[in-house]
Amino acid sequence: MEEEDEEARALLAGGAARDGRDSPAAPRPLPALCDPGRLAHRIVVLLLMCFLGFGGYFCYDNPAALQTQIKRDMRVNTTKFMLLYAWYSWPNVVLCFFGGFLIDRVFGKRIGGESLAVAQNTYAVSWFKGKELNLVFGLQLSMARIGSTVNMNLMGWLYSKMEASLGSAGPTTLGVTLMIGGITCILSLICALVLAYLDQRAERILHKEQGKTGEVIKLTDVKDFSLPLWLIFVICVCYYVAVFPFIGLGKVFFTEKFGFSSQAASAINSIVYVISAPMSPVFGLLVDKTGKNVIWVLCAVVTTLVSHMMLAFTMWNPWIAMCLLGLSYSLLACALWPMVAFVVPEHQLGTAYGFMQSIQNLGLAIISIVAGMILDTRGYLFLEVFFIACVSLSLLSVVLLYLVDRAQGGNLNYSAKQREEMKLSHTE
């Protein structure tokens, strides 16, 4: 306890001038890397937040990278193959919401599972709420997509090496390959544990415990979520169900419709993540500088709609459509997710992000099954029309969000200058 008190006093002293007569034993300030109030320490936290998502996203897209091998070795059709994504999502319909609730109400520490995304989002707001938030969301997404990109281009090669080593293809080779890929989750676990410690330490030193707003989150608060927040939820679900299930089935789609080789199909299927990795921080910075989150979300959804229409109704080189999809996917994530922090009190952020992640997983679980069934019975054209309908519903929700926010005098579509002026008016 003495060491903790000394550490807190050192920070609060903040390098104040020493006077030998009044304070002969004034404590020394903390080094920048150890001071939660300094930029250097927050950069360390940001790096840990970014690596937190690497392992989870690497493993999430293992089925997409090994679609042909999984269907062959496990002897399943497309519907059963897509159940791998559905069974991933079903538990997280509940776990994300209750994980977010526990973050707000019980623990105040953010250790995530698929509550991983909830944990990342809550960390981001806790450490970087303000003008840096969109950039931080972009950087987190960037590292997550690097994990997905490495997976898409590594797992097929790793399977072939295991096949050569074990002498044949089959469930054993598939299992060993997946187990090796799962090692990346250890990296995420280590980052989560270190972040939990640093977060608790910062709360102790800066005397700003999570959720100390005089209010206590209750599960029944969900019914009091605002209409703009529900519209954000709808946009999120309808958009992402047209991206992740499509990428899960994309490798065979590009092979069958456009005649790509297996290696080329994997490359084009991963281009969304390849583009997302460098562009997410750029778009995050752009949204930080300009504001106008709703307008940027609108641009992203429209571009995604155009991309799916190109893939469905033309034989144009799919690299064009997939590059557009990669750009729009990056832009949407940077502009959409930070909006939750604009409409929800800080003590409810974990619950709000948890609920958002939960209904996203519910949508992904249902749509993954539906997509597999459509592909087995109707083919890729009908599947693309289905995805177009989902994105169109997302587009309608964006327009409604803009109108509702404007009618209510909300701040979702404020410019960066307006946000700064509003922040200054609240501090005066």
Side-chain angles (χ1 to χ4, degrees):
M1 285 297 296
E2 290 182 2
E3 291 180 359
E4 293 177 3
D5 292 339
E6 183 178 346
E7 189 177 28
R9 287 195 301 270
L11 177 61
L12 294 174
R18 295 179 175 80
D19 188 328
R21 294 170 296 179
D22 298 329
S23 54
R28 297 177 61 186
L30 292 173
L33 283 175
C34 302
D35 182 347
R38 303 282 290 276
L39 177 61
H41 185 83
R42 292 165 69 220
I43 290 175
V44 172
V45 171
L46 177 58
L47 289 173
L48 290 169
M49 287 164 52
C50 290
F51 280 104
L52 179 64
F54 182 90
Y57 280 91
F58 181 96
C59 290
Y60 174 80
D61 283 307
N62 279 346
L66 297 172
Q67 180 180 352
T68 303
Q69 293 89 336
I70 289 174
K71 291 175 69 175
R72 181 191 65 214
D73 294 348
M74 298 180 68
R75 298 177 183 177
V76 296
N77 59 14
T78 307
T79 302
K80 291 182 177 179
F81 167 77
M82 290 303 289
L83 283 174
L84 291 172
Y85 285 102
W87 283 111
Y88 169 89
S89 297
W90 286 123
N92 293 302
V93 173
V94 176
L95 292 178
C96 287
F97 173 66
F98 282 99
F101 171 75
L102 291 174
I103 285 169
D104 282 333
R105 180 71 182 271
V106 182
F107 297 117
K109 301 175 188 177
R110 291 165 275 275
I111 299 179
E114 204 325 297
S115 306
L116 187 69
V118 181
Q120 283 182 298
N121 295 337
T122 314
Y123 271 130
V125 176
S126 175
W127 284 86
F128 298 95
K129 188 175 183 180
K131 63 182 180 179
E132 307 157 323
L133 187 58
N134 295 291
L135 174 60
V136 169
F137 271 85
L139 289 169
Q140 286 186 157
L141 178 65
S142 177
M143 182 55 72
R145 289 312 159 209
I146 288 174
S148 297
T149 303
V150 173
N151 162 77
M152 288 283 190
N153 293 280
L154 178 66
M155 292 303 289
W157 173 84
L158 182 59
Y159 181 94
S160 64
K161 292 297 181 182
M162 290 299 103
E163 181 181 1
S165 177
L166 297 173
S168 64
T172 301
T173 300
L174 180 63
V176 171
T177 303
L178 293 173
M179 186 162 54
I180 293 173
I183 294 174
T184 56
C185 285
I186 297 175
L187 173 65
S188 293
L189 175 61
I190 294 171
C191 290
L193 295 173
V194 175
L195 274 170
Y197 166 74
L198 293 179
D199 200 44
Q200 186 183 38
R201 176 177 175 272
E203 289 171 359
R204 183 182 70 244
I205 294 175
L206 300 179
H207 303 292
K208 62 170 194 66
E209 295 186 29
Q210 174 76 10
K212 293 294 184 180
T213 61
E215 301 177 76
V216 178
I217 183 77
K218 301 185 293 292
L219 288 175
T220 53
D221 285 349
V222 172
K223 66 179 173 55
D224 297 322
F225 282 166
S226 64
L227 178 57
L229 183 59
W230 284 107
L231 288 172
I232 291 172
F233 291 162
V234 174
I235 295 167
C236 172
V237 173
C238 293
Y239 184 87
Y240 283 107
V241 298
V243 175
F244 291 137
F246 170 75
I247 292 175
L249 296 167
K251 182 177 178 180
V252 177
F253 170 68
F254 294 118
T255 301
E256 293 187 0
K257 179 173 181 176
F258 296 98
F260 283 91
S261 66
S262 178
Q263 184 176 1
S266 293
I268 192 172
N269 201 35
S270 67
I271 195 62
V272 172
Y273 298 151
V274 172
I275 290 175
S276 177
M279 292 307 299
S280 293
V282 174
F283 284 137
L285 187 60
L286 175 65
V287 177
D288 275 331
K289 294 295 184 183
T290 63
K292 301 293 183 182
N293 289 60
V294 180
I295 297 299
W296 288 120
V297 170
L298 179 65
C299 293
V301 174
V302 169
T303 305
T304 300
L305 185 61
V306 171
S307 173
H308 275 292
M309 287 180 172
M310 290 171 60
L311 291 169
F313 303 122
T314 75
M315 291 298 294
W316 296 353
N317 191 318
W319 283 98
I320 302 171
M322 292 300 285
C323 287
L324 286 176
L325 184 59
L327 291 171
S328 59
Y329 167 76
S330 306
L331 179 58
L332 180 123
C334 294
L336 179 68
W337 288 85
M339 283 199 290
V340 175
F342 300 151
V343 296
V344 174
E346 190 166 352
H347 72 284
Q348 293 182 347
L349 274 175
T351 300
Y353 277 123
F355 192 80
M356 188 173 179
Q357 201 74 27
S358 292
I359 61 174
Q360 181 189 14
N361 275 283
L362 177 63
L364 289 172
I366 295 172
I367 298 304
S368 292
I369 297 172
V370 172
M373 295 173 62
I374 290 175
L375 190 53
D376 280 336
T377 57
R378 299 296 185 92
Y380 278 106
L381 177 60
F382 199 91
L383 179 63
E384 274 296 334
V385 171
F386 175 71
F387 286 145
I388 289 170
C390 292
V391 180
S392 299
L393 183 57
S394 182
L395 178 60
L396 176 62
S397 300
V398 177
V399 174
L400 289 175
L401 177 63
Y402 176 83
L403 296 175
V404 169
D405 181 67
R406 186 166 183 175
Q408 295 181 349
N411 66 344
L412 289 181
N413 207 42
Y414 275 6
S415 67
K417 183 178 179 181
Q418 287 174 305
R419 292 197 191 285
E420 192 64 28
E421 291 174 350
M422 183 177 66
K423 183 179 178 181
L424 290 173
S425 66
H426 285 322
T427 57
E428 292 177 353

